[in-house]
Amino acid sequence: MSAVTAAVVGVVANLAVWFALHVLFRQTMPVRALGMSFDAPVFGSIDPWALALAVVAGISLFRFKLGVLRTLAICSGASIALYFVLGAV
């Protein structure tokens, strides 16, 4: 049973890293070497608004302990406001 738990934790961690990589960076570069392949971020393509929302989410969760639903509501409202202020990017 612990092997199944470890596998599920690995899959969830992999998805978290994949989503974070593709949300925070507009471009990635495929890297294939030594039998491995992964997407490396192009650091010049960082999305500052996505990074700011991620920092706000982290602070509200860990510093202010607002909870997941409140943090999700705050970040959703902020992202909708950014969409209407900045326009579709």
Side-chain angles (χ1 to χ4, degrees), residues 41 55 64:
V55 169
F64 297 116

Side-chain angles (χ1 to χ4, degrees), residues 7-77:
V8 169
V9 168
V11 168
V12 170
N14 184 21
L15 281 172
V17 169
W18 190 89
F19 278 116
L21 178 70
H22 288 88
V23 166
L24 294 176
F25 298 96
R26 292 184 177 144
Q27 294 178 346
T28 59
M29 178 179 52
V31 176
R32 287 168 180 64
L34 302 172
M36 297 182 293
S37 65
F38 64 94
D39 291 335
V42 176
F43 290 105
S45 70
I46 194 163
D47 185 357
W49 294 112
L51 180 62
L53 284 174
V55 169
V56 166
I59 290 171
S60 66
L61 281 172
F62 297 117
R63 172 69 175 102
F64 297 116
K65 301 188 185 329
L66 291 181
V68 174
L69 290 178
R70 282 188 182 166
T71 300
L72 184 61
I74 290 168
C75 290
S76 296

